[in-house]
Amino acid sequence: MRSMKWIGIVLGVMMLSLVLVLTLSACSKGDDAYDSQTITVVFPDESTQVLTIAQLRDMPQQQLDASFKRSTGTVEEYDMEGPLLADVLREAGADIDTYAGVSVGGSDGYYTMLPQDIIQETSSLILAITVDGKSQLNKDIAPAQLAVQGQLGPYWVKMIDTIVLYDVVPEKRIASIWVFDSFARDIEAETFPYFGSDDTAYNLEKIWPMLDNVDSKAFFTMKSSDGYQRNESLNSVLKQYFIKVDGEDAPINVSPNIDPTFGVKNIAWFSTNEDVFIFPDQLTRYCATEQVGGRKAIPLDEICYEVGLEDLSGLAYELVDAQGLRVTLDSAGIATAFLSFDDKGSHVIDADANILVEDLVRICVIRGD
C-alpha cells in the first residue's frame, strides 16, 4: 500500500510538472507572438528595414520617469523603459543626426514629425516598450510608445509601426500672410459633425484655387496655441480636408478620413509652401502682446517671425484690406506696427493707435530678388 501511495505522489508530481511545462510553453509562445510585432523604418529612397520588438529588447534599455502635458493641461506620468530612438535607427542602418526630420507613426493612423531641433534638444528620446513595469503593453499602446521628455502630448505617439526618415524637410518661401476669418468671408461654409455637434467648417478644396502657388510636394504645417507644431504632407490635405472654426477645440483640422481626436486643437496658424493663414485670437495666447491705445495688440514683426519670415530686413510689405485698398510698409514700418482685432475684423495700427489698415485681409511679402 505504501508503494502505491508513493507511486501516486510521483505521478502527481509528474502531472504537475507537465502542467507547468505546458503553461510556461504557452506563455513563451505568447511572448514570442508579442515580440514578433514589427516597426518598419522607411528611408528617403523608399527602401525599408523591418525591426521586431524582440530586437528592441536586445538593445541597451533606458529608464525614464516620463511625464507630458496634454492639450487639456493635465499631466500624465509613467515609468518607461526602452531603447533610444537613435539606437533603433542605428540598428536599421541609419544615423539620426544626418536626417532633416523623422516622422513616427502609429497603426491608428496618427503620426508626428520630429525636426532636428526637437531631436537635438530631447536627450531622453526613446521608444518605450515597457510602461509601468508591463512588458506587454495594452493594445492602445502596443507595441511601443514614443517618449519625448519635455515635449507636449501630441509628440508621444502610441502604437508605433512606422518610422520615416527625411533627407530634406521642404523649405517654405512665405509670400502672403492671410487673416483667415477675413479671407473666408466669401467662401461658402459647411457643417462638420464633431463629437455630436454640427459646427462650421471650411473645405480647403475651395481655398487652394484662390492661391497663386500650391506645391503638393511641400508640407502643410499647423501650429497650436499651446505651442505644438505639426507637419502633414500637403498632398494628403488637398481633398476633403476642413478647418473647423467654431465649437469645441476650434480652430481645428478635421476630415472624414481621420480620427477627430488627431486634430491640432486651437490652431494659431497654418501654412502651405507660400501662404500662411493666421487666427489672431489664438496668436495672443502665446505671442507677446502690448496695450496700444487701450487695444490688446500683437507686434506685426512678431507675427512675421512666428510664421516663418526669419529675416525681415530688405523686405517690403503690401497690406490689403477687405475693400482692396493697399498700404505699403518697409521693414522699419513693420517693426513699429501692431495687429489688433475686434468683432469687426483685424486692424493694423501704429504705436499711437492710429489705424493704418482697417479690416486686414492679406499681407503680401515683396522681395527684392
Side-chain angles (χ1 to χ4, degrees), residues 203-209 211 213-218 220 232-242 255 257 272-273:
N203 191 336
L204 294 185
E205 286 185 66
K206 296 179 180 179
I207 291 178
W208 305 136
L211 305 180
N213 178 22
V214 179
D215 183 356
S216 62
K217 296 179 181 179
F220 178 74
E232 301 261 12
S233 163
L234 187 54
N235 189 55
S236 69
V237 306
L238 292 178
K239 294 184 178 181
Q240 286 299 293
Y241 206 91
F242 299 78
S255 168
N257 304 316
T272 65
N273 52 302

mmCIF file of all heavy atoms in Angstrom, residues 203-209 211 213-218 220 232-242 255 257 272-273:
data_model
loop_
_atom_site.group_PDB
_atom_site.id
_atom_site.type_symbol
_atom_site.label_atom_id
_atom_site.label_comp_id
_atom_site.label_asym_id
_atom_site.label_seq_id
_atom_site.Cartn_x
_atom_site.Cartn_y
_atom_site.Cartn_z
ATOM 1 N N ASN A 203 -13.977 73.940 -46.297
ATOM 2 C CA ASN A 203 -13.301 72.910 -47.063
ATOM 3 C C ASN A 203 -12.097 73.534 -47.766
ATOM 4 O O ASN A 203 -12.250 74.494 -48.538
ATOM 5 C CB ASN A 203 -14.265 72.314 -48.090
ATOM 6 C CG ASN A 203 -13.714 71.063 -48.741
ATOM 7 O OD1 ASN A 203 -12.508 70.847 -48.798
ATOM 8 N ND2 ASN A 203 -14.599 70.230 -49.249
ATOM 9 N N LEU A 204 -10.910 73.018 -47.504
ATOM 10 C CA LEU A 204 -9.707 73.592 -48.104
ATOM 11 C C LEU A 204 -9.688 73.444 -49.618
ATOM 12 O O LEU A 204 -8.963 74.178 -50.306
ATOM 13 C CB LEU A 204 -8.462 72.951 -47.492
ATOM 14 C CG LEU A 204 -8.220 73.252 -46.012
ATOM 15 C CD1 LEU A 204 -6.898 72.656 -45.552
ATOM 16 C CD2 LEU A 204 -8.247 74.737 -45.725
ATOM 17 N N GLU A 205 -10.495 72.542 -50.163
ATOM 18 C CA GLU A 205 -10.577 72.416 -51.616
ATOM 19 C C GLU A 205 -11.048 73.711 -52.260
ATOM 20 O O GLU A 205 -10.742 73.990 -53.425
ATOM 21 C CB GLU A 205 -11.531 71.281 -51.997
ATOM 22 C CG GLU A 205 -10.982 69.892 -51.769
ATOM 23 C CD GLU A 205 -11.931 68.819 -52.293
ATOM 24 O OE1 GLU A 205 -12.133 68.760 -53.517
ATOM 25 O OE2 GLU A 205 -12.468 68.053 -51.475
ATOM 26 N N LYS A 206 -11.816 74.507 -51.516
ATOM 27 C CA LYS A 206 -12.312 75.776 -52.050
ATOM 28 C C LYS A 206 -11.287 76.895 -51.899
ATOM 29 O O LYS A 206 -11.426 77.958 -52.500
ATOM 30 C CB LYS A 206 -13.605 76.170 -51.329
ATOM 31 C CG LYS A 206 -14.751 75.190 -51.559
ATOM 32 C CD LYS A 206 -15.991 75.610 -50.807
ATOM 33 C CE LYS A 206 -17.132 74.625 -51.049
ATOM 34 N NZ LYS A 206 -18.358 75.001 -50.290
ATOM 35 N N ILE A 207 -10.272 76.652 -51.094
ATOM 36 C CA ILE A 207 -9.249 77.668 -50.849
ATOM 37 C C ILE A 207 -8.083 77.554 -51.814
ATOM 38 O O ILE A 207 -7.554 78.552 -52.311
ATOM 39 C CB ILE A 207 -8.766 77.585 -49.392
ATOM 40 C CG1 ILE A 207 -9.895 78.035 -48.443
ATOM 41 C CG2 ILE A 207 -7.501 78.404 -49.159
ATOM 42 C CD1 ILE A 207 -9.552 77.942 -46.981
ATOM 43 N N TRP A 208 -7.663 76.315 -52.115
ATOM 44 C CA TRP A 208 -6.465 76.134 -52.938
ATOM 45 C C TRP A 208 -6.523 76.881 -54.261
ATOM 46 O O TRP A 208 -5.519 77.509 -54.659
ATOM 47 C CB TRP A 208 -6.199 74.647 -53.197
ATOM 48 C CG TRP A 208 -6.102 73.778 -51.985
ATOM 49 C CD1 TRP A 208 -6.669 72.545 -51.816
ATOM 50 C CD2 TRP A 208 -5.390 74.039 -50.764
ATOM 51 N NE1 TRP A 208 -6.369 72.031 -50.580
ATOM 52 C CE2 TRP A 208 -5.586 72.929 -49.911
ATOM 53 C CE3 TRP A 208 -4.613 75.101 -50.318
ATOM 54 C CZ2 TRP A 208 -5.033 72.864 -48.650
ATOM 55 C CZ3 TRP A 208 -4.070 75.045 -49.044
ATOM 56 C CH2 TRP A 208 -4.277 73.944 -48.236
ATOM 57 N N PRO A 209 -7.660 76.891 -55.007
ATOM 58 C CA PRO A 209 -7.680 77.610 -56.289
ATOM 59 C C PRO A 209 -7.502 79.122 -56.138
ATOM 60 O O PRO A 209 -7.194 79.805 -57.126
ATOM 61 C CB PRO A 209 -9.069 77.281 -56.854
ATOM 62 C CG PRO A 209 -9.477 76.022 -56.174
ATOM 63 C CD PRO A 209 -8.914 76.125 -54.792
ATOM 64 N N LEU A 211 -5.232 80.546 -54.304
ATOM 65 C CA LEU A 211 -3.829 80.838 -54.002
ATOM 66 C C LEU A 211 -2.992 80.754 -55.275
ATOM 67 O O LEU A 211 -3.334 80.041 -56.220
ATOM 68 C CB LEU A 211 -3.308 79.860 -52.946
ATOM 69 C CG LEU A 211 -4.110 79.798 -51.643
ATOM 70 C CD1 LEU A 211 -3.481 78.801 -50.685
ATOM 71 C CD2 LEU A 211 -4.222 81.174 -50.996
ATOM 72 N N ASN A 213 0.245 79.673 -55.725
ATOM 73 C CA ASN A 213 1.125 78.523 -55.930
ATOM 74 C C ASN A 213 1.003 77.547 -54.767
ATOM 75 O O ASN A 213 1.422 77.859 -53.648
ATOM 76 C CB ASN A 213 2.574 78.996 -56.062
ATOM 77 C CG ASN A 213 3.554 77.852 -56.236
ATOM 78 O OD1 ASN A 213 3.175 76.757 -56.665
ATOM 79 N ND2 ASN A 213 4.808 78.087 -55.890
ATOM 80 N N VAL A 214 0.427 76.388 -55.016
ATOM 81 C CA VAL A 214 0.311 75.339 -54.002
ATOM 82 C C VAL A 214 1.119 74.137 -54.483
ATOM 83 O O VAL A 214 0.753 73.491 -55.469
ATOM 84 C CB VAL A 214 -1.158 74.940 -53.764
ATOM 85 C CG1 VAL A 214 -1.243 73.824 -52.734
ATOM 86 C CG2 VAL A 214 -1.969 76.146 -53.313
ATOM 87 N N ASP A 215 2.211 73.866 -53.801
ATOM 88 C CA ASP A 215 3.113 72.776 -54.190
ATOM 89 C C ASP A 215 2.744 71.523 -53.408
ATOM 90 O O ASP A 215 2.939 71.461 -52.189
ATOM 91 C CB ASP A 215 4.556 73.187 -53.910
ATOM 92 C CG ASP A 215 5.566 72.141 -54.355
ATOM 93 O OD1 ASP A 215 5.146 71.059 -54.805
ATOM 94 O OD2 ASP A 215 6.781 72.405 -54.236
ATOM 95 N N SER A 216 2.239 70.517 -54.079
ATOM 96 C CA SER A 216 1.773 69.303 -53.403
ATOM 97 C C SER A 216 2.903 68.524 -52.750
ATOM 98 O O SER A 216 2.662 67.648 -51.920
ATOM 99 C CB SER A 216 1.034 68.395 -54.396
ATOM 100 O OG SER A 216 1.902 67.976 -55.436
ATOM 101 N N LYS A 217 4.162 68.842 -53.102
ATOM 102 C CA LYS A 217 5.301 68.142 -52.508
ATOM 103 C C LYS A 217 5.755 68.783 -51.196
ATOM 104 O O LYS A 217 6.627 68.260 -50.518
ATOM 105 C CB LYS A 217 6.471 68.102 -53.496
ATOM 106 C CG LYS A 217 6.165 67.301 -54.769
ATOM 107 C CD LYS A 217 7.351 67.309 -55.712
ATOM 108 C CE LYS A 217 7.046 66.531 -56.983
ATOM 109 N NZ LYS A 217 8.192 66.544 -57.934
ATOM 110 N N ALA A 218 5.176 69.929 -50.864
ATOM 111 C CA ALA A 218 5.575 70.646 -49.659
ATOM 112 C C ALA A 218 4.834 70.107 -48.439
ATOM 113 O O ALA A 218 4.020 69.187 -48.536
ATOM 114 C CB ALA A 218 5.300 72.138 -49.837
ATOM 115 N N PHE A 220 2.197 70.809 -45.249
ATOM 116 C CA PHE A 220 1.113 71.599 -44.693
ATOM 117 C C PHE A 220 1.378 71.649 -43.197
ATOM 118 O O PHE A 220 1.336 70.627 -42.523
ATOM 119 C CB PHE A 220 -0.230 70.917 -44.997
ATOM 120 C CG PHE A 220 -1.427 71.618 -44.433
ATOM 121 C CD1 PHE A 220 -1.896 72.790 -44.999
ATOM 122 C CD2 PHE A 220 -2.114 71.082 -43.352
ATOM 123 C CE1 PHE A 220 -3.014 73.425 -44.490
ATOM 124 C CE2 PHE A 220 -3.233 71.707 -42.844
ATOM 125 C CZ PHE A 220 -3.687 72.886 -43.408
ATOM 126 N N GLU A 232 2.035 67.964 -42.087
ATOM 127 C CA GLU A 232 1.357 66.947 -42.884
ATOM 128 C C GLU A 232 1.898 67.041 -44.308
ATOM 129 O O GLU A 232 2.358 68.106 -44.742
ATOM 130 C CB GLU A 232 -0.157 67.208 -42.930
ATOM 131 C CG GLU A 232 -0.853 67.225 -41.590
ATOM 132 C CD GLU A 232 -1.533 65.903 -41.295
ATOM 133 O OE1 GLU A 232 -1.258 64.929 -42.017
ATOM 134 O OE2 GLU A 232 -2.325 65.855 -40.353
ATOM 135 N N SER A 233 1.808 65.949 -45.048
ATOM 136 C CA SER A 233 2.074 66.038 -46.475
ATOM 137 C C SER A 233 0.971 66.894 -47.096
ATOM 138 O O SER A 233 -0.216 66.630 -46.907
ATOM 139 C CB SER A 233 2.072 64.642 -47.097
ATOM 140 O OG SER A 233 1.937 64.730 -48.501
ATOM 141 N N LEU A 234 1.348 67.946 -47.814
ATOM 142 C CA LEU A 234 0.339 68.813 -48.421
ATOM 143 C C LEU A 234 -0.539 68.037 -49.394
ATOM 144 O O LEU A 234 -1.745 68.303 -49.522
ATOM 145 C CB LEU A 234 1.017 69.994 -49.133
ATOM 146 C CG LEU A 234 0.120 71.084 -49.690
ATOM 147 C CD1 LEU A 234 -0.813 71.634 -48.621
ATOM 148 C CD2 LEU A 234 0.960 72.213 -50.276
ATOM 149 N N ASN A 235 0.045 67.055 -50.036
ATOM 150 C CA ASN A 235 -0.720 66.242 -50.975
ATOM 151 C C ASN A 235 -1.887 65.524 -50.289
ATOM 152 O O ASN A 235 -2.923 65.275 -50.892
ATOM 153 C CB ASN A 235 0.205 65.213 -51.641
ATOM 154 C CG ASN A 235 -0.477 64.481 -52.782
ATOM 155 O OD1 ASN A 235 -0.989 65.090 -53.708
ATOM 156 N ND2 ASN A 235 -0.487 63.166 -52.710
ATOM 157 N N SER A 236 -1.720 65.222 -48.987
ATOM 158 C CA SER A 236 -2.752 64.470 -48.275
ATOM 159 C C SER A 236 -3.909 65.345 -47.806
ATOM 160 O O SER A 236 -4.916 64.827 -47.329
ATOM 161 C CB SER A 236 -2.135 63.754 -47.061
ATOM 162 O OG SER A 236 -1.736 64.693 -46.075
ATOM 163 N N VAL A 237 -3.779 66.672 -47.926
ATOM 164 C CA VAL A 237 -4.847 67.556 -47.460
ATOM 165 C C VAL A 237 -5.510 68.314 -48.602
ATOM 166 O O VAL A 237 -6.283 69.247 -48.373
ATOM 167 C CB VAL A 237 -4.330 68.548 -46.384
ATOM 168 C CG1 VAL A 237 -3.648 67.802 -45.256
ATOM 169 C CG2 VAL A 237 -3.391 69.579 -46.986
ATOM 170 N N LEU A 238 -5.225 67.935 -49.826
ATOM 171 C CA LEU A 238 -5.780 68.656 -50.967
ATOM 172 C C LEU A 238 -7.270 68.425 -51.133
ATOM 173 O O LEU A 238 -7.985 69.279 -51.670
ATOM 174 C CB LEU A 238 -5.039 68.261 -52.250
ATOM 175 C CG LEU A 238 -3.575 68.707 -52.342
ATOM 176 C CD1 LEU A 238 -2.952 68.222 -53.638
ATOM 177 C CD2 LEU A 238 -3.453 70.219 -52.227
ATOM 178 N N LYS A 239 -7.762 67.263 -50.686
ATOM 179 C CA LYS A 239 -9.182 66.944 -50.863
ATOM 180 C C LYS A 239 -9.810 66.503 -49.545
ATOM 181 O O LYS A 239 -9.183 65.813 -48.752
ATOM 182 C CB LYS A 239 -9.355 65.841 -51.913
ATOM 183 C CG LYS A 239 -8.951 66.257 -53.320
ATOM 184 C CD LYS A 239 -9.235 65.148 -54.321
ATOM 185 C CE LYS A 239 -8.878 65.606 -55.741
ATOM 186 N NZ LYS A 239 -9.163 64.533 -56.735
ATOM 187 N N GLN A 240 -11.054 66.923 -49.350
ATOM 188 C CA GLN A 240 -11.850 66.535 -48.181
ATOM 189 C C GLN A 240 -11.111 66.767 -46.865
ATOM 190 O O GLN A 240 -10.983 65.887 -46.022
ATOM 191 C CB GLN A 240 -12.295 65.066 -48.305
ATOM 192 C CG GLN A 240 -13.391 64.849 -49.324
ATOM 193 C CD GLN A 240 -14.666 65.637 -48.967
ATOM 194 O OE1 GLN A 240 -15.334 65.345 -47.977
ATOM 195 N NE2 GLN A 240 -14.991 66.622 -49.779
ATOM 196 N N TYR A 241 -10.612 67.982 -46.740
ATOM 197 C CA TYR A 241 -9.894 68.382 -45.534
ATOM 198 C C TYR A 241 -10.440 69.745 -45.125
ATOM 199 O O TYR A 241 -10.558 70.646 -45.953
ATOM 200 C CB TYR A 241 -8.394 68.462 -45.823
ATOM 201 C CG TYR A 241 -7.507 68.265 -44.624
ATOM 202 C CD1 TYR A 241 -7.041 67.001 -44.282
ATOM 203 C CD2 TYR A 241 -7.114 69.342 -43.837
ATOM 204 C CE1 TYR A 241 -6.197 66.815 -43.189
ATOM 205 C CE2 TYR A 241 -6.274 69.168 -42.747
ATOM 206 C CZ TYR A 241 -5.819 67.902 -42.429
ATOM 207 O OH TYR A 241 -4.988 67.718 -41.352
ATOM 208 N N PHE A 242 -10.775 69.906 -43.862
ATOM 209 C CA PHE A 242 -11.507 71.083 -43.411
ATOM 210 C C PHE A 242 -10.798 71.759 -42.236
ATOM 211 O O PHE A 242 -10.086 71.116 -41.473
ATOM 212 C CB PHE A 242 -12.911 70.683 -42.942
ATOM 213 C CG PHE A 242 -13.777 70.059 -44.005
ATOM 214 C CD1 PHE A 242 -13.610 68.732 -44.385
ATOM 215 C CD2 PHE A 242 -14.778 70.798 -44.625
ATOM 216 C CE1 PHE A 242 -14.408 68.151 -45.354
ATOM 217 C CE2 PHE A 242 -15.584 70.229 -45.598
ATOM 218 C CZ PHE A 242 -15.407 68.901 -45.971
ATOM 219 N N SER A 255 -11.356 65.955 -40.897
ATOM 220 C CA SER A 255 -11.577 65.294 -42.183
ATOM 221 C C SER A 255 -12.388 64.025 -41.950
ATOM 222 O O SER A 255 -12.257 63.395 -40.892
ATOM 223 C CB SER A 255 -10.242 64.929 -42.842
ATOM 224 O OG SER A 255 -10.432 64.066 -43.941
ATOM 225 N N ASN A 257 -11.756 61.384 -43.127
ATOM 226 C CA ASN A 257 -10.806 60.277 -43.234
ATOM 227 C C ASN A 257 -9.876 60.138 -42.032
ATOM 228 O O ASN A 257 -9.035 59.239 -42.010
ATOM 229 C CB ASN A 257 -9.957 60.450 -44.500
ATOM 230 C CG ASN A 257 -10.802 60.562 -45.744
ATOM 231 O OD1 ASN A 257 -11.761 59.813 -45.918
ATOM 232 N ND2 ASN A 257 -10.468 61.500 -46.614
ATOM 233 N N THR A 272 1.045 76.668 -46.193
ATOM 234 C CA THR A 272 1.460 75.846 -47.319
ATOM 235 C C THR A 272 2.907 76.231 -47.626
ATOM 236 O O THR A 272 3.618 76.740 -46.766
ATOM 237 C CB THR A 272 0.561 76.103 -48.534
ATOM 238 O OG1 THR A 272 0.741 77.462 -48.971
ATOM 239 C CG2 THR A 272 -0.907 75.889 -48.181
ATOM 240 N N ASN A 273 3.348 76.010 -48.842
ATOM 241 C CA ASN A 273 4.711 76.389 -49.210
ATOM 242 C C ASN A 273 4.891 77.907 -49.299
ATOM 243 O O ASN A 273 5.972 78.424 -49.051
ATOM 244 C CB ASN A 273 5.113 75.748 -50.537
ATOM 245 C CG ASN A 273 4.089 76.007 -51.638
ATOM 246 O OD1 ASN A 273 2.919 75.650 -51.482
ATOM 247 N ND2 ASN A 273 4.504 76.610 -52.733
#
